[in-house]
Amino acid sequence: MLEKVILVICDGLGDRPIKDLGNLTPLEAAKTPNMDKLASESECGMMYSLGRGCVPGSDTSHLNILGYDYREYYSGRGTIEVTGVGMKLKEGDVALRGNFSTVDENFIIKDRRAGRIRGVAPLAQALDGIEIDGVTFFVKPGTGHRAAIIMRGKGLSSAIIDADPHKPDVPVREVTPLDESIEAKHTARILNVFLKKAWEILQKHPLNEERRKKGELLANYLLVRGAGQYKEVPCFKERYAFSGCCIAGGGLYKGVAAYLGMDVIDVPGATGLPDTDIEAKFRAAISNLKKYDFVFVHVKAADSFGEDGNFRGKKEFIEKIDHAARLFHETSENTLLIITGDHSTPCALKSHSGDPIPIIFRGTGVRVDKVAAFNERDCTCGGLGIITGIDIMPQVLNLFGKLPLTGA
Ligand code: ZN
């Protein structure tokens, strides 16, 4: 009888055939004896996380995979970012994400990440709590050069453009409303005043004085983007009757989990980078089954290699995942193991694509099919067929015998 679930999401796992790999994908070219064995004990298939014809973002795809239709529950990256750093949103709030960045005296962006500055907490603190015309700004540091921002006050809207033009050597954008509403105009005006004030404060901040002396890039502008508004989201436990936790290195994935009310477990060595300790994460996933019913583990770096076009790096990283996946051979009979990705990140494109990704379900009651390898082509022959991300949780509930009867 199934009692527990481990869901492993390998970010950007899927790819396309690569000539230099003998027309194999990095996942096909990688030696993956452990995942192949798991696939041979599984029901396999292919998954479009958002549906055919969509290029998924990591945030929307994770929402769908965890059973929250992104069309209903996604409200901008900002909301996920602020939740991920532990901030609590209230009704009416607007959430933004931002970078501490470098601008010159004409507000031309010199570096969108201020030389990838780290330790931005004192800068965030200097901006935290500023009030402009009845709107309070809460600012907390994110990972690296990032910040999370909440605007709290009456009559706010997330219908505003990004101040971040997403490239250097151009001026910062003035925030403008995306619709004709009074709320959007009001929000854009207040945010512009805040960003100007933030610049004045950051320009004179002791940390920047020090950087100026050392000849380092100043972190003198807060480039904001991804405005989102508070949305009421039913928590994972209420919705699925599973107590859930998340093991991830990257802030976005912790944010998605926290947004759905899952606990976020910090595992030493989990960095979200190629040097991440995958074994430590998988071990933590297995040990947390004692406390939780549903453990979501995220592994990031295959996606980063895809975005860099580094197919050899991607292949080698997949082999690292596979080596750690040997730990799952020992999971007990009561555990349903799901391994998949959130989207494809083909090395040839250096970006996400709409190609589906392999998925396997392994556990008691699963109709094991004839697929014996975990990759993009073998899994097309599996019993699950082609599914979408939002089909996963109903299939989990089905295997647990928890789906309600339709009809009589
Ligand atoms: Zn992703």
Side-chain angles (χ1 to χ4, degrees):
M1 189 68 189
L2 290 172
E3 288 169 15
K4 308 280 177 175
V5 183
I6 295 179
L7 166 67
V8 181
I9 300 184
C10 308
D11 211 290
L13 179 70
D15 213 297
R16 294 179 179 176
I18 292 166
K19 217 172 168 193
D20 288 341
L21 293 177
N23 283 321
L24 299 175
T25 67
L27 179 57
E28 288 174 317
K31 288 198 177 55
T32 54
N34 293 302
M35 292 196 289
D36 291 347
K37 183 167 188 300
L38 293 168
S40 74
E41 299 160 358
S42 297
E43 187 170 20
C44 307
M46 295 299 288
M47 181 196 55
Y48 289 100
S49 48
L50 303 188
R52 203 186 283 265
C54 272
V55 175
S58 287
D59 42 13
T60 47
S61 58
H62 275 77
L63 282 177
N64 256 30
I65 291 168
L66 291 164
Y68 291 75
D69 192 323
Y70 78 98
R71 288 166 296 192
E72 193 177 341
Y73 293 107
Y74 183 61
S75 65
R77 177 78 174 257
T79 49
I80 291 171
E81 199 81 8
V82 303
T83 320
V85 301
M87 297 167 90
K88 293 261 180 283
L89 281 167
K90 290 188 180 166
E91 189 149 7
D93 285 355
V94 167
L96 296 146
R97 61 196 297 239
N99 284 3
F100 284 100
S101 59
T102 311
V103 297
D104 71 7
E105 59 285 1
N106 300 315
F107 293 95
I108 306 288
I109 299 166
K110 289 298 155 200
D111 190 318
R112 285 185 59 248
R113 303 176 184 92
R116 289 201 178 266
I117 183 173
R118 281 174 178 255
V120 296
L123 301 176
Q125 205 176 4
L127 308 179
D128 191 31
I130 291 177
E131 198 196 306
I132 292 159
D133 295 348
V135 176
T136 308
F137 286 80
F138 299 95
V139 183
K140 297 276 176 260
T143 34
H145 52 274
R146 297 185 187 90
I149 303 111
I150 292 178
M151 296 176 71
R152 182 165 295 157
K154 287 205 178 86
L156 296 175
S157 163
S158 57
I160 51 170
I161 67 157
D162 290 350
D164 184 354
H166 298 270
K167 55 184 178 192
D169 300 320
V170 292
V172 299
R173 281 181 180 160
E174 186 175 332
V175 180
T176 50
L178 277 171
D179 63 28
E180 288 298 307
S181 68
I182 296 169
E183 289 81 6
K185 287 178 189 161
H186 169 69
T187 309
R189 184 185 68 79
I190 301 241
L191 184 54
N192 283 321
V193 175
F194 169 76
L195 294 177
K196 181 80 195 303
K197 190 165 176 119
W199 170 77
E200 284 165 9
I201 293 169
L202 293 173
Q203 187 77 349
K204 289 185 255 160
H205 194 281
L207 201 142
N208 273 327
E209 293 294 346
E210 252 174 65
R211 288 176 76 82
R212 200 174 274 127
K213 274 185 215 148
K214 289 190 208 154
E216 291 173 348
L217 288 168
L218 301 187
N220 60 357
Y221 200 82
L222 191 59
L223 268 183
V224 292
R225 62 189 189 278
Q229 209 142 11
Y230 170 85
K231 223 172 213 197
E232 183 139 351
V233 178
C235 87
F236 190 77
K237 184 154 188 200
E238 273 168 35
R239 198 169 163 91
Y240 294 108
F242 289 129
S243 56
C245 75
C246 159
I247 294 168
L252 170 62
Y253 316 97
K254 295 180 187 176
V256 171
Y259 186 64
L260 306 182
M262 288 180 158
D263 287 350
V264 176
I265 310 282
D266 277 316
V267 174
T271 59
L273 300 170
D275 67 356
T276 193
D277 191 342
I278 307 171
E279 284 206 31
K281 283 163 118 171
F282 288 180
R283 269 184 220 289
I286 294 166
S287 67
N288 272 287
L289 290 177
K290 285 193 205 95
K291 194 171 164 201
Y292 296 95
D293 305 318
F294 190 107
V295 180
F296 149 47
V297 200
H298 180 266
V299 184
K300 170 75 181 164
D303 176 59
S304 314
F305 282 116
E307 289 196 328
D308 292 342
N310 182 351
F311 55 86
R312 282 188 224 287
K314 186 167 177 178
K315 171 181 163 284
E316 279 162 27
F317 188 76
I318 290 169
E319 287 173 347
K320 263 179 83 176
I321 299 176
D322 185 76
H323 184 66
R326 74 186 187 286
L327 300 169
F328 294 131
H329 293 309
E330 294 147 35
T331 49
S332 84
E333 273 194 0
N334 72 352
T335 302
L336 176 66
L337 173 70
I338 306 167
I339 305 180
T340 188
D342 58 343
H343 51 76
S344 294
T345 308
C347 293
L349 298 184
K350 298 186 176 179
S351 65
H352 298 187
S353 77
D355 302 292
I357 37 245
I359 179 165
I360 63 171
F361 278 70
R362 175 185 177 268
T364 304
V366 163
R367 290 176 177 165
V368 177
D369 56 35
K370 291 178 178 167
V371 175
F374 181 63
N375 63 51
E376 295 91 335
R377 271 179 274 217
D378 283 79
C379 286
T380 56
C381 306
L384 285 171
I386 295 177
I387 62 172
T388 61
I390 204 72
D391 297 328
I392 293 176
M393 286 308 294
Q395 176 62 358
V396 170
L397 296 180
N398 175 50
L399 289 166
F400 274 68
K402 284 187 180 180
L403 268 190
L405 181 67
T406 303

